[in-house]
Amino acid sequence: MNPYDVVILGAGPAGLAAGLQAHKSGAKTLIIEREDKLGGILKQCIHDGFGLKKFNEKLTGPEYAGRYIKMIEDENVPIITSTFVTDVSKDQDGFSLSLVNSKKGIYEIHAKSLILANGCRERTPKQIFIHGSRPAGVYTAGTAQYFVNILGYLPCKKCVILGSGDIGLIMARRLTLEGAEIEGVYEAKSIPSGLSRNISQCLEDYDIPIHLSHTITKIIGADRVEAVEISKVDDRMIPIIGTETIVECDGVILSVGLIPENEIAESLDIKLDMATKGPFVDQNLMTLEDGVFSCGNALHVNDLVDYVSESGEYAGENALNYVKNIESKKERKLIPINYEKEKFLYVIPQFIDTDSDNKKITFYLRSREVRKNARIQIMGNSEIFYDKKYRFLKPPEMERIEMDFTDIDHLDAIEVIMK
Amino acid sequence: MSNLSDKIQRKLNRKISRNITCREWRCSIILEGKVDTWEDVYLAGKLAVNDKYKGVVNKIEVEGLDIPKIKKPLLEDKYLLDKEIDVLIIGGGVIGSSIARELSKWDISVLLVDKEDDLAMHASSRNDGMIHPGLAPKPGTKKAYYNVKGNEMHTKITEELDVSFKRTGSRIVFYNKYMRFVTPIIKARARHNGVKGIKYLNADELRKEEPDISRDITGAILMPSAGILSPYKMTIAFAENAVMNGVEISLNTIVSAMEKKEDKIISVSTNRGKIYPRVVINAAGAFSDEIAAMADDQFFTIHPRKGEAILLDKKKGNLLNSILSNPALFKIKNTSKGGGLVKTIEGNVLVGPNAYEQPYKEDFTTNKNSIDEVLKKHLTLVPKLSSMDAITYFAGIRAATYEEDFIVEKSEHVKNLVHVAGIQSPGLASAPAIAEDIEKMAIEILSEVNDVKKKSNWNPIRKGIPKLNLMEYEKRNELIKERPDYGEIVCRCEEVSKGEIIDAINSLVPATSIDAIKRRTRAGMGRCQSGFCMPLVAKILEEESGMNMENVTKKGIGSEIIVDETKKHRIEGRGKHESL
């Protein structure tokens, strides 16, 4: 069996970038996509704002995906669609994957390295413990978006939106433009979860009210949604009894968070970071399992697709480097990157392999709270490698820091500090 | 007024309210009046139970409380108009469906009606899927008899009907090492009920079987005959086998009235036309008392006992191998419900259920306090489980009588009516045994007027929808080669193929809604809770069944998943932006 050098799971923005990069660098590459079309969730994101960093242009989701699909086609990157990975296990070459599709049935392929670019899924109403009845008309924002943008159907005419994540905000605008009435956006937190630009462009421009520190405490209606019960919440996000009001509506759209999809990683016993819900990785985006890489929204939920593609490229490049050096492979020398949990939501990567030739490290991090005039420092053994003042740090907006660590062999840890 | 009903009335007047009156009717006692709370209604019913009476008919109302009437299907047509049949079964739960299968052995016409859009929509889909061993019911009750007999029958029946079933055994856990001294008492009860194989497990033995249980657990009683299956798949399997053998099923069909002549039911009115049955079987679950009343034969009352339960992600399924029950089961009080953790047949962990009295027969809402309490109570059994693992939760209503036993009998006053009522837990386990007895009763009644023969070509074997992701690769490959749709995965969390969804749509009791497909195939039952696959399943339903997307529902008419096509309602220039 002739194994692939790099097999990429998922052909969304991360997987496409990873496959393109690996293939261009000379790897025997294969991208596997479970849907029949490429592009992942970008297919249904017909709003613009994609690609400002990558292409210096404002593109729609399908346009952004189209750019990569064209490059993939031009470069003849091998890709199979409508194919589902039903099992992954380790073997002597690296990894053995069982694939299933309607043409070939079930069959095996082998890979020296794997890139997990599975993207993320939406948190469901049940995961945030919404109670009441279970009528039709309760959808996650992504499902509603699929109905409107892909299938051309309106899921509701008068709805409330719970959660102020970006897709929820975008769907508020989208449904308004399609003639639905958005009664309001309700957010249990005291600050919005989505990007500021989406608050302004999707809500304020359309006079859609956002109610902070409010949540849905009950869904009412046996067959279709008839109303919701809204309650104020306290600073621990617990509903305050006595503040209930009933809002009539025929739909509830939820945008209450995204969860990286890591079921395949878990089946390989790859350790996940509870902060990101993605795997722990080093600067090469290699997980704690040698030969398995993670990128895009499967690694952590990104704010911009441009960074998703970027991490895909890193993973593609580094997976090939790993394969090239597989013969001379030695143990990684991983040192942790520590950060203060009360100040940062997360910092990626979580480790640095000081033996790796790759000394260029890209940090992605998010502040836990909104901060003004904060300073971020990256240090090792009291030596300061990075020091920058930020006018604003906001949880919805990810920060990216790129830096060169040429001489870090002597360090046993890196500290990321906020002042 | 007799001395006894007088005595009971005095007791109720003293303990609850002066506004309650009692009277005898046939061999039952009827309670009437108005009280302040539902708790009082329930309490009055409980206090009125007496061996001397056949049953308690509790008509007490709560001042100012409006209990909604039965929810009716929106359909109105003449599909069943003037239909003559030998046996009409009212209710398509596991009881009605298993009776349909038994009766399909006979050369007679059988019609099963249910008011919902699919079978098993009430208690039969809203339970923990446990095939109880038969220890909990009080010795000598119908519950005890049918439970033990029904439990045994599942080995053969699930094989004939191609339903996954595992005898995982259930373990009642102890937190106190002295509890093992109750083992002889439990064994005595087991002997009385006919439950076999019960034994005490010490902490080490228990941990060998369930390594992740709490360190606080000191031992357990093992009941090896307990098993698990999917209750709605079981119900559908009974019904499909019945349909294979000639039984007709009419869904969205509600019985609204009965016409009697002398002591026989002549006709039964429904929203789909009037039916003329020779025998009527009342298997109407929570509404069986109301059906009995239509035939002027209500000698019992159903008081809806609600329960709520939670399902955890399959990922955590490896932390549990069987059924663990918290020990409330030992209380002699038959209404108590221990609940616990159940490893479902599909590999999830089910937490709960709880049990509480409330007035509504169709209130399937879940409540924060209830769900929180259930999680808090049972997750401690396996400390590695967390409420964060919850993927969904649900509520169900138990159809309990005040006597708390099953009613499985011919009506004493209506010659062609059979009651199967009060079937609460362990109804699922008992169903096949109950069905055999109901079959006998129905055939006896029919034989009085007609010569009834068994079919020579009755086929007990039913094939379910194949579960491709559980198959050996070779077998799976073969099926995909035969039908490529089996190779196209639609539901990623549960790995369900397009072929399986099409099978559900085209099955003998066709799935006509998203939820009906979900119950048959598990598409949408995983951790994303149908976020990704629901629109895809809707598309397949549209294509396969020929319905328009506007008519695709979550669970029957009224629960349409979309409201319109886009663009129709577009308001030009709305908001500050002219266009996107």
Side-chain angles (χ1 to χ4, degrees), chain A residues 32 145 228 336 394 398 412:
Chain A
I32 303 168
Q145 193 176 43
V228 290
K394 294 178 184 173
M398 201 176 83
D412 4 289

Side-chain angles (χ1 to χ4, degrees), chain A residues 34-35 84 86-87 98 100-102 104-106 120-121 124-127 129-136 139 143 146-148 151-157 173-174 176-180 204-207 222-224 250 261 263 266, chain B residues 71 315 365-368 371 375 387 390-394 473 476-477 480-481 484 487-489 492 495 527-529 531-532 534-536 539 542 549 554-555 557-567 569-570 574-577 580:
Chain A
R34 56 185 152 201
E35 293 186 43
F84 188 85
T86 178
D87 189 55
S98 300
V100 59
N101 63 32
S102 52
K104 293 174 77 173
I106 195 157
C120 58
R121 66 170 173 269
T124 69
K126 292 294 164 54
Q127 282 176 306
F129 289 98
I130 293 191
H131 289 288
S133 57
R134 305 205 288 177
Y139 301 114
T143 307
Y146 190 92
F147 270 119
V148 177
L151 298 180
Y153 294 110
L154 207 52
C156 49
K157 278 184 185 156
R173 173 175 66 185
R174 188 74 190 101
T176 304
L177 289 168
E178 289 297 344
E204 286 165 12
D205 285 0
Y206 295 85
D207 298 326
D223 296 323
R224 226 4 256 194
D250 70 353
E261 289 235 288
E263 278 62 41
E266 283 178 291
Chain B
K71 191 167 170 281
K315 270 183 209 172
T365 59
T366 55
N367 299 282
K368 185 175 187 306
I371 293 291
L375 286 169
S387 60
I391 57 171
T392 189
Y393 33 87
F394 61 91
Y473 284 178
R476 187 170 176 181
N477 234 337
I480 296 171
K481 291 270 143 67
E488 188 180 330
I489 303 299
R492 58 175 76 169
E495 211 175 315
R527 56 186 69 91
C528 92
Q529 285 288 295
F532 285 114
M534 197 273 270
L536 310 177
K539 268 312 256 191
E542 186 188 32
M549 190 61 100
K554 177 170 158 53
K555 48 184 178 180
I557 304 171
S559 66
E560 286 72 22
I561 56 166
I562 54 138
V563 294
D564 218 330
E565 285 177 31
T566 53
K567 304 294 179 258
H569 292 264
R570 185 166 173 158
R574 184 172 177 153
K576 288 170 194 161
H577 287 230
L580 190 63

Side-chain angles (χ1 to χ4, degrees), chain A residues 2 15-16 21 50 66 85 91 171 211 249 272 402 414 419:
Chain A
N2 200 358
L16 290 174
Q21 187 62 38
F50 298 93
V85 177
D91 66 9
M171 282 316 291
H211 307 272
C249 56
L272 303 186
E402 199 181 300
I414 298 281
K419 282 182 177 165

